[in-house]
Amino acid sequence: MYPSSGTGAWEAALVNTLSPGDHVLVFETGHFSQLWGQLALKMGFHVEYLPGTWREGAASAELESRLNTDKGRAIKAVLVVHNETSTGVTSGIAELGRVISRVGHSALLMVDAISSLGSIEYCHDEWEVDVTVAASQKGLMNPPGLSFNAVSRKALSANKTAKMPRSYWDWQGMLKSSERGFSIYTSHEPHLRFARSIADARRRSGEHFSPARTPCEIGPCGGLGVGFGNRV
C-alpha cells in the first residue's frame, strides 16, 4: 500500500518483478492501457503492443497464439486493464489467466483494477492474477492518493531475482514493516478512514462490497495486499 496515485502502483508492479530490458506484452484496450505501456517503455522495458480498436477487451485467443510462438519464453509479463475507464471496455481476466496456465508460460499476469475493484466482480486468486494494481479513486470511491499491489506467490518469487532499481516502491521493505503492524511511509490516514466509512455505508444500504464480495475481489494473496478487501 503506497501513498500515491494508481500510476505509482503501476510502476511498483513492474520494478518489483522485472529486470532491465525485459519483454512485456500490453493489450491495447484504451487510453489507460496506452499510458501503462508508455510508462514501461520509459523505464527501459521492451514493450510489445497487441493493438486493439478500443471497442472490445483483451482477446484470450490472441494471447494464446502469441504465447505459443514465444518458444524462448522471452515475454516476462502480460499487462491488462480490467475495466478501461476511457472506453468502458472490460476484459475477461479469468480466461487470460487460464490461457497462461494452459500454455504453461512463465509470464506474470498483471492487471489494472483501479476502476473495477469495488464496482464489478474481481477475483485475484481465482483468476490466477500475479499482480493486481488498485487505487483509492474510481471504484473504491475515495480521493486519489492511495494505491495498492496485491501479489501472488509467483510474483513474490519473481521479486527475488528482479534487478530493476527500486527504493520507494520496494515490496520487501514494506512487507517487513507490515509484519510489525507498521507502514514504512507516512500513511494516508484520512483515505483509510474514508474507505472504511464508504464500506460501512454500502453494507447498510445492502450493497455487499465487504465482506461478501471482497474475498473474491482480492482475497488472500500470500503476500502484499493480504486481507486488503476485508479491511476496507
Side-chain angles (χ1 to χ4, degrees), residues 92-180:
I93 304 300
E95 183 54 32
L96 297 177
R98 284 194 290 268
V99 163
I100 294 174
S101 293
R102 185 163 63 243
V103 171
H105 204 285
S106 57
L108 298 169
L109 178 58
M110 301 187 184
V111 178
D112 174 332
I114 294 172
S115 69
S116 58
L117 188 67
S119 302
I120 57 177
E121 183 181 43
Y122 184 79
C123 306
H124 176 89
D125 289 334
E126 186 179 320
W127 294 351
E128 301 178 84
V129 179
D130 294 301
V131 185
T132 293
V133 172
S136 52
Q137 71 268 28
K138 299 185 183 178
L140 295 182
M141 299 192 297
N142 271 247
L146 201 61
S147 67
F148 314 92
N149 282 164
V151 183
S152 72
R153 288 180 175 83
K154 181 179 172 183
L156 285 174
S157 178
N159 176 248
K160 294 176 182 178
T161 58
K163 294 181 173 59
M164 285 296 292
R166 52 195 181 271
S167 175
Y168 185 83
W169 308 114
D170 185 30
W171 286 347
Q172 289 304 318
M174 188 167 291
L175 285 167
K176 290 173 184 175
S177 179
S178 67
E179 287 174 0
R180 303 189 304 273

Side-chain angles (χ1 to χ4, degrees), residues 136-137 142-146 188-197:
S136 52
Q137 71 268 28
N142 271 247
L146 201 61
H188 272 214
E189 187 70 19
H191 284 73
L192 296 173
R193 292 183 181 276
F194 189 38
R196 183 177 294 278
S197 296

